[in-house]
């Protein structure tokens, strides 16, 4: 069984990885890396790779041959805000708070006299292993609204309605979200790569 370290401390992301990577032996970031990893890249891809490399390089020689590191960087890109918050989605408000980030997004929309805008979620997953590095991508298109709806999910889920749906991600079941989400799409591609190891 492949042994995979998930380079994230975001509980919501980790739960999605667990749901989507059944059949793999998963390990948490805290077991292998202490402290914060500074995400100072200029793209989702750069940030995903920064995290994957940091964790992999912190492993000892034996562990580098035994483990694969997966890291995700993802965010919400809103058309009316010229693609913001983008790579700054987790800290859009200046705080590490999903609630504060959602309030900031609503404020920004209302400042433009808008109650919705086209938007998309993007996810890049980076793999770092003894054999090298690779990436997969996933995108979920739809639009954001200025009112929170739903209790499921995390991040901006309660403000995002996927294309062809009439409910926010937070109103959908976790099972349905894990079939259509940007992270699900990127992980489905990554699973094909993992089968090669």
């Amino acid at each position: 069984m492949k042994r995979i370290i998930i380079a994230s401390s975001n509980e919501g992301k980790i739960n999605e990885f667990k749901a989507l990577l059944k059949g793999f032996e998963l390990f948490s970031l805290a077991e292998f890396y202490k402290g914060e990893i500074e995400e100072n890249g200029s793209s989702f891809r750069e940030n995903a790779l920064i995290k994957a490399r940091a964790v992999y390089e912190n492993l000892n020689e034996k562990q580098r041959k035994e483990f694969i590191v997966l890291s995700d960087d993802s965010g919400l890109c809103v058309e009316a805000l010229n693609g913001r918050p983008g790579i700054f989605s987790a800290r859009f408000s200046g705080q590490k708070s999903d609630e504060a980030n959602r309030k900031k997004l609503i404020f920004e929309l209302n400042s433009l006299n808008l109650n919705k805008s086209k938007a998309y979620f993007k996810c890049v997953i980076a793999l770092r292993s003894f054999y090298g590095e690779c990436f997969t991508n996933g995108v979920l298109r739809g639009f954001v609204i200025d009112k929170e709806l739903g209790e499921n999910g995390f991040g901006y889920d309660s403000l995002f309605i996927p294309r062809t749906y009439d409910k926010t991600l937070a109103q959908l079941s976790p099972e349905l979200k894990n079939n259509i989400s940007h992270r699900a799409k990127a992980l489905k591609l990554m699973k094909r790569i993992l089968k090669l190891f």
Side-chain angles (χ1 to χ4, degrees), residues 38-126:
E38 185 181 1
E39 298 174 40
N40 53 11
S42 60
S43 67
F44 292 113
R45 179 172 168 154
E46 283 183 22
N47 282 334
L49 188 53
I50 285 168
K51 290 183 279 188
R53 283 177 175 168
V55 175
Y56 183 79
E57 289 164 10
N58 198 52
L59 301 176
N60 63 42
E61 191 173 340
K62 182 173 182 288
Q63 289 171 329
R64 289 181 185 184
K65 293 177 181 177
E66 293 178 352
F67 289 91
I68 295 166
V69 179
L70 289 185
S71 174
D72 147 298
D73 196 51
S74 53
L76 177 67
C77 303
V78 179
E79 184 178 282
L81 303 182
N82 299 313
R84 292 184 300 128
I87 61 171
F88 303 106
S89 293
R91 47 196 184 277
F92 188 40
S93 64
Q95 307 171 47
K96 277 197 126 183
S97 161
D98 286 351
E99 182 181 1
N101 290 333
R102 290 191 297 270
K103 285 181 178 175
K104 165 84 168 169
L105 178 58
I106 292 169
F107 174 80
E108 294 265 353
L109 286 174
N110 291 162
S111 295
L112 296 171
N113 294 316
L114 295 173
N115 57 22
K116 70 178 184 178
S117 169
K118 288 182 181 178
Y120 64 89
F121 274 116
K122 180 168 183 177
C123 173
V124 176
I125 295 177

Side-chain angles (χ1 to χ4, degrees), residues 142-155:
F143 58 93
V144 289
I145 57 176
D146 67 346
K147 180 181 179 182
E148 292 194 47
L149 298 172
E151 302 296 328
N152 297 326
F154 63 100

Side-chain angles (χ1 to χ4, degrees), residues 167-190:
K167 291 182 170 62
T168 68
L169 286 175
Q171 291 175 299
L172 302 180
S173 70
E175 293 76 21
L176 179 52
K177 180 190 172 185
N178 283 339
N179 275 325
I180 66 170
S181 79
H182 52 304
R183 188 166 295 106
K185 291 174 182 178
L187 273 172
K188 282 172 186 173
L189 292 173
M190 186 58 75

